[in-house]
Amino acid sequence: MDRLLELEGLFWESVVETLYIVAVTLGIGGVGGLVIGVTLYVTRKNGLLANAPVSIVLNLVVNFFRPIPFVIFIGAVQPLARWVVGVGIGNRAIIFALSLAAAFGISRIVEQNLVGVDPGVVEAARAMGAGRPRIILTVLIPEALGPLVLGYTFVFVALVDMSAIAGVIGGGGLGNFAIVYGYRQFNPVVTWVAVIAIVVIVQVAQFAGNRLARTILRR
Amino acid sequence: MAVIELSDVSKVFGPTRRGERPVTAVDGVPLRVEAGQIAGIIGHSGAGKSTVVRLVNGLEKPSSGTVTVDGTTITGLPERRLRAVRLGIGMIFQQFNLFSSRTVWGNVAYPLRVAKVPTARHRERISELLHFVGLADRAHSYPDQLSGGQKQRVGIARALATSPKVLLADEATSALDPETTRDVLALLRKVNVELGVTIVVITHEMAVVRSIADRVVVMERGRVVEDGPAFDVFSQPAHPTTQRFVRTVVDDVPTGATLESLRANHSGRIVSLSYRDGSRPGSEVFAELISAGVGFELVHGGLADVRGRSFGTLTLALSGPDAAVDHAIGRLRDRAAVTEVA
Ligand SMILES: Nc1ncnc2c1ncn2[C@@H]1O[C@H](COP(=O)(O)OP(=O)(O)O)[C@@H](O)[C@H]1O
Ligand SMILES: [Mg+2]
């Protein structure tokens, strides 16, 4: 218990770090995933911008990266991280790797939700003379918004999980806190405090996501 | 003046899968729709009706032939120009295709935004449209809070927002019950009469064509098999497909099983009186029979109204002395086309 009080400062720092890593990742990976997902959808056969070569290549790329276990993925993209964000370790590197992984994962979620949009409304917008960028932004995405919010909530939770591995390349956050001060120092209480903090974050995120989706879907 | 003109238009869809054959959805179709007309295109599912209207607003490009709308040949126009043309052509759909994420107001506002109508003018226009379709009180409802008929009214308001000259209705009443269908068709009539909009109604239901179309085009396997003024097509259908469609709304001279059952259930001679010229049988027909001393019973058929003119077939069983019946039939021939069927 004394030990816990000593670690209190570090604990809150870790909570903030986890939230920071996940939020920034959701921002960058979320936008990237949206762009890739929309591209996957519109380039499909009979899509708004049907384009077989783009569709095939993009599918290959997404399918190549998505199944890689994240702990390996971090190492694999380390050289790329050094090149893009300047460092291969620490929070910046972990955010880079997470964003990349998230973008590929999210792209499939986005694509699936767009497939669920009634093609009839796209047809109606086309018949009204709307152009393709307008249809994507003002018809496809708003019509799929409810399920998209649920999809992004799911990703947020997955990112909290994935970010726990950040310690392997010197990143911080609750996962690192639990391993360094709980597991390695044989202090299960510290480990469990971290676990509970993660559970609380996940619960709050899921609750907020469900609420938002319900408001959008009006049910 | 023709607002819509298709000359010898064909549309072939390439096979969607390897090994399949291409589908000729529209096969050498000529179609002229005059300004202010309501043209009904009828045909069974797969006849190519939807493809024809999608060719009219450029959602499909013809494989051959040309499409002209309101004096502009749209065949070969780049997408950007086509979009401008589409602002002048409204379209409504079987499943309504409303934006579920937008209110009634938002749905009607959408085409105004596409047409770059200044926002300051939206309010007046949307309110005017919603009053026109009778939904002013539902402006802030979402589509899933509306009945089918109300949804189609929103569809109509949305399609009319940019004041198009042409309205394309693809099976617009096929998802509605008969009573709602009647209301929506009445609204389409009002659009035609009060706003002068030329309407193309696509349907597989002859009753829809009968209640609204000035002109009927019958399609089968991508081809136009019959085309003429509604009354003519209904009263004297030439093509077997048209005849079958007409029989769905009004009984013809009985044949086959119908005739056999009439024969079995009624004594006397069975004759059919056909009215195809817009005249209606009056009481004089029956007076004629009575004065000839012939008993009669109406056993089959009926009359229908198309654009205010009647047509149809009345089948009677006549009983009495042979000479009297012969005499009566002779007199009836002066008043209608008579067929002795049994
Ligand atoms: N996009 C398409 N790709 C391939 N075949 C199509 C396409 N659209 C329509 N068809 C085919 O063209 C034919 C006519 O279809 P359609 O115009 O929808 O008929 P209708 O509206 O009279 O039911 C059908 O055989 C249909 O399968
Ligand atoms: Mg159709």
Side-chain angles (χ1 to χ4, degrees):
Chain A
M1 269 302 154
D2 291 351
R3 180 78 184 126
L4 212 54
L5 288 175
E6 269 170 47
L7 289 173
E8 197 188 334
L10 268 173
F11 167 75
W12 288 115
E13 217 170 275
S14 302
V15 170
V16 170
E17 257 183 310
T18 289
L19 290 176
Y20 170 76
I21 291 170
V22 171
V24 173
T25 301
L26 198 64
I28 300 171
V31 170
L34 190 65
V35 171
I36 302 173
V38 166
T39 310
L40 281 170
Y41 175 75
V42 297
T43 56
R44 281 167 158 243
K45 189 152 61 188
N46 296 326
L48 268 180
L49 291 160
N51 187 322
V54 172
S55 175
I56 291 167
V57 170
L58 204 54
N59 269 293
L60 272 176
V61 171
V62 172
N63 288 344
F64 179 83
F65 284 107
R66 226 161 58 97
I68 303 176
F70 187 58
V71 66
I72 300 170
F73 186 82
I74 294 176
V77 298
Q78 206 173 28
L80 196 59
R82 282 202 191 95
W83 188 63
V84 178
V85 296
V87 288
I89 55 165
N91 285 348
R92 279 163 71 98
I94 200 76
I95 286 173
F96 173 79
L98 262 182
S99 298
L100 207 55
F104 290 126
I106 290 171
S107 69
R108 284 293 182 212
I109 293 176
V110 170
E111 183 193 18
Q112 270 162 29
N113 288 329
L114 294 182
V115 169
V117 172
D118 174 10
V121 297
V122 174
E123 171 98 349
R126 286 190 68 203
M128 282 179 242
R132 290 176 251 238
R134 180 194 292 271
I135 292 176
I136 291 169
L137 294 174
T138 66
V139 176
L140 277 175
I141 292 176
E143 289 290 306
L145 201 57
L148 279 176
V149 165
L150 289 176
Y152 274 84
T153 306
F154 173 84
V155 170
F156 181 95
V157 171
L159 286 176
V160 173
D161 170 5
M162 285 155 75
S163 71
I165 216 85
V168 298
I169 54 166
L174 282 165
N176 188 50
F177 176 83
I179 290 168
V180 174
Y181 302 101
Y183 179 73
R184 292 213 187 116
Q185 300 191 1
F186 307 105
N187 194 337
V189 178
V190 170
T191 307
W192 275 98
V193 166
V195 168
I196 289 164
I198 288 173
V199 169
V200 169
I201 291 173
V202 166
Q203 290 290 345
V204 169
Q206 190 67 55
F207 177 78
N210 288 349
R211 273 285 289 257
L212 186 56
R214 252 206 316 276
T215 310
I216 291 165
L217 293 168
R218 299 183 311 283
R219 50 173 97 103
Chain B
M1 194 199 72
V3 174
I4 299 171
E5 186 154 11
L6 270 63
S7 49
D8 205 20
V9 170
S10 293
K11 175 67 186 180
V12 181
F13 288 106
T16 42
R17 247 170 261 132
R18 216 180 287 258
E20 280 180 0
R21 293 169 171 282
V23 176
T24 306
V26 173
D27 192 359
V29 161
L31 180 70
R32 273 175 68 93
V33 181
E34 305 295 326
Q37 206 173 44
I38 300 185
I41 301 183
I42 187 162
H44 295 292
S45 173
K49 311 178 293 292
S50 295
T51 307
V52 165
V53 289
R54 292 164 54 81
L55 285 161
V56 171
N57 63 7
L59 289 178
E60 300 286 0
K61 314 245 173 301
S63 308
S64 64
T66 55
V67 178
T68 305
V69 180
D70 197 20
T72 310
T73 299
I74 65 164
T75 312
L77 281 189
E79 184 70 17
R80 189 178 50 79
R81 296 276 311 279
L82 269 182
R83 295 213 307 269
V85 170
R86 287 183 194 134
L87 294 175
I89 307 174
M91 187 167 187
I92 56 175
F93 308 84
Q94 177 170 6
Q95 297 305 332
F96 323 119
N97 296 352
L98 300 180
F99 304 124
S100 63
S101 57
R102 294 173 195 273
T103 59
V104 167
W105 185 278
N107 268 275
V108 181
Y110 194 88
L112 296 176
R113 228 172 288 138
V114 172
K116 301 198 167 65
V117 173
T119 321
R121 297 229 300 272
H122 285 197
R123 209 186 156 74
E124 192 191 337
R125 180 70 182 138
I126 296 169
S127 149
E128 179 185 23
L129 287 159
L130 292 182
H131 277 100
F132 184 80
V133 301
L135 278 178
D137 54 333
R138 302 311 299 266
H140 302 294
S141 302
Y142 282 89
D144 58 10
Q145 299 167 320
L146 303 177
S147 69
Q150 290 173 327
K151 284 182 197 168
Q152 197 57 289
R153 285 169 186 275
V154 177
I156 292 170
R158 186 176 69 172
L160 295 176
T162 52
S163 308
K165 277 197 171 175
V166 174
L167 178 64
L168 307 174
D170 191 351
E171 303 274 6
T173 58
S174 299
L176 304 175
D177 61 61
E179 202 176 320
T180 314
T181 293
R182 212 167 330 117
D183 295 345
V184 168
L185 291 179
L187 177 58
L188 289 179
R189 264 258 155 232
K190 185 169 128 179
V191 169
N192 174 253
V193 173
E194 292 183 16
L195 308 178
V197 175
T198 306
I199 304 181
V200 178
V201 172
I202 285 200
T203 181
H204 63 275
E205 292 171 302
M206 204 58 176
V208 168
V209 173
R210 174 180 138 196
S211 72
I212 195 171
D214 303 314
R215 151 93 182 288
V216 181
V217 176
V218 184
M219 283 191 71
E220 188 174 69
R221 276 188 238 113
R223 297 181 154 274
V224 169
V225 296
E226 193 148 354
D227 182 354
F231 185 81
D232 299 0
V233 171
F234 272 91
S235 59
Q236 302 186 34
H239 193 273
T241 304
T242 316
Q243 290 166 358
R244 275 196 298 277
F245 273 121
V246 171
R247 277 203 294 273
T248 63
V249 291
V250 57
D251 289 326
D252 200 359
V253 176
T255 53
T258 316
L259 182 57
E260 269 170 44
S261 107
L262 287 177
R263 180 73 283 170
N265 293 311
H266 302 280
S267 56
R269 282 157 69 182
I270 295 178
V271 297
S272 291
L273 313 183
S274 297
Y275 297 87
R276 312 229 178 266
D277 58 358
S279 71
R280 223 174 205 301
S283 56
E284 70 279 0
V285 167
F286 305 104
E288 202 83 73
L289 293 168
I290 292 166
S291 77
V294 172
F296 61 90
E297 189 188 352
L298 180 59
V299 295
H300 184 74
L303 298 170
D305 218 56
V306 171
R307 305 276 68 80
R309 295 167 75 194
S310 319
F311 73 95
T313 299
L314 298 180
T315 299
L316 306 169
L318 306 180
S319 53
D322 265 350
V325 172
D326 281 338
H327 173 71
I329 290 175
R331 302 292 298 269
L332 290 179
R333 285 196 201 281
D334 297 340
R335 304 192 178 275
V338 179
T339 323
E340 229 187 303
V341 290

